[in-house]
Amino acid sequence: MMVSDDGLLTVGNRLCIPDVMEVKNEILDEAHNAPYAMHPGSTRMYRDLKEHFWWRGIKRDVAEYVSKCLVCQQVKAEHQAPSGQLRPLPIPEWKWQKVTMDFLMGLPRTSKRHDAIWTDDQSERTIRTLEGMLRACVMDFKGAWDEHLPLIEFAYNNSYHSSIQMAPYEALYGRKCRTPVCWHEEGDRKLLGPELIQMTVDKVNLIKQRLKAAQDRMKSYEDAHRKEMEYEVK
């Protein structure tokens, strides 16, 4: 531990939180229930918080907090594993080189006559995540779900994704997006043009490696729980 120039106790680049449950709960409340957070799961919430805060037992506290969230318990849905082996999509070479799309259909029709969402992702997991976030948002803030789409978009793009081991916002812009719960950041500095370009290239290459590793893990796991379907034409 060390004391920063502005008098804050830090562990590396993380702010050290005192062993006061009221303070910890305030951080947990903000990171989980705030409109820009939208009820992340325990793993995603822990990954987001550990980037900025440190206290002994933070992972346990996050898991316990999420497990007691009534909204999270109500929005969970069971899904049956599809048949056939997983066919991963090719990994793009650069940002926005490939754009996929899908629709989340069958939503309650709002007063503006909206009943579907167009997403730029074909991942079934993404659709399930957005569906859960929509439910949580409506339960928390009431009103029609289409009124909360900007908050849902921000929460999704600014939360940790295990496949790339960072938030989509950071992957796209090369830096973390600050929120009220994660505003303080040690070691801020300005980057010059050539350094910024090289950093972007390095980050894209790192993301590609992480996506490939994540695809391999996912395929191995999914194929172990599926069976190849054979069809006979007569």
Side-chain angles (χ1 to χ4, degrees):
M1 294 186 184
M2 60 180 296
V3 179
S4 64
D5 294 338
D6 49 6
L8 298 173
L9 187 62
T10 61
V11 177
N13 291 329
R14 297 183 290 170
L15 187 63
C16 184
I17 303 302
D19 190 17
V20 179
M21 206 60 222
E22 289 79 5
V23 176
K24 297 176 185 177
N25 280 335
E26 188 170 346
I27 295 174
L28 295 172
D29 284 340
E30 186 73 15
H32 191 73
N33 299 321
Y36 59 81
M38 213 63 67
H39 291 268
S42 59
T43 300
R44 183 168 290 180
M45 180 173 164
Y46 166 68
R47 291 283 188 172
D48 289 340
L49 284 179
K50 69 174 285 195
E51 291 286 326
H52 303 274
F53 301 103
W54 179 92
W55 71 77
R56 195 176 303 279
I58 181 174
K59 187 174 184 178
R60 179 194 63 240
D61 291 344
V62 169
E64 183 178 352
Y65 183 94
V66 174
S67 68
K68 294 180 179 179
C69 176
L70 181 60
V71 172
C72 289
Q73 295 175 19
Q74 291 176 312
V75 301
K76 285 184 178 179
E78 294 184 359
H79 296 269
Q80 184 177 357
S83 59
Q85 292 188 334
L86 189 65
R87 300 287 190 270
L89 296 173
I91 298 174
E93 292 295 323
W94 197 253
K95 307 172 185 180
W96 301 115
Q97 184 181 30
K98 293 183 180 180
V99 178
T100 60
M101 61 176 289
D102 204 346
F103 291 92
L104 179 55
M105 310 289 291
L107 298 172
R109 185 178 292 271
T110 67
S111 59
K112 298 179 181 178
R113 304 185 64 80
H114 297 151
D115 61 0
I117 298 176
W118 170 42
T119 74
D120 59 352
D121 198 315
Q122 290 180 315
S123 167
E124 182 181 352
R125 184 176 181 181
T126 300
I127 298 298
R128 292 203 305 263
T129 300
L130 292 175
E131 190 177 2
M133 293 173 74
L134 281 169
R135 290 197 186 104
C137 189
V138 171
M139 292 176 66
D140 266 349
F141 310 116
K142 313 305 179 186
W145 56 263
D146 55 353
E147 297 175 357
H148 307 301
L149 280 180
L151 294 174
I152 293 172
E153 180 182 11
F154 179 85
Y156 182 83
N157 288 330
N158 197 41
S159 59
Y160 178 89
H161 283 47
S162 59
S163 58
I164 57 176
Q165 299 180 32
M166 65 181 70
Y169 183 99
E170 183 182 357
L172 180 60
Y173 295 107
R175 59 183 177 85
K176 295 179 175 64
C177 177
R178 292 185 175 181
T179 64
V181 75
C182 300
W183 190 262
H184 176 79
E185 186 170 342
E186 287 291 317
D188 281 355
R189 62 191 184 93
K190 294 183 178 179
L191 296 175
L192 300 178
E195 186 180 4
L196 180 60
I197 293 174
Q198 185 59 50
M199 186 188 72
T200 302
V201 172
D202 292 343
K203 182 153 289 188
V204 168
N205 289 333
L206 178 62
I207 289 171
K208 287 164 57 180
Q209 295 172 14
R210 289 174 174 175
L211 282 173
K212 180 62 169 62
Q215 280 189 349
D216 292 344
R217 288 195 305 270
M218 180 63 71
K219 178 171 174 56
S220 176
Y221 175 81
E222 291 291 338
D223 288 352
H225 294 79
R226 300 183 183 189
K227 61 179 180 179
E228 194 69 56
M229 301 295 291
E230 295 183 1
Y231 299 92
E232 182 179 352
V233 180
K234 296 183 179 180

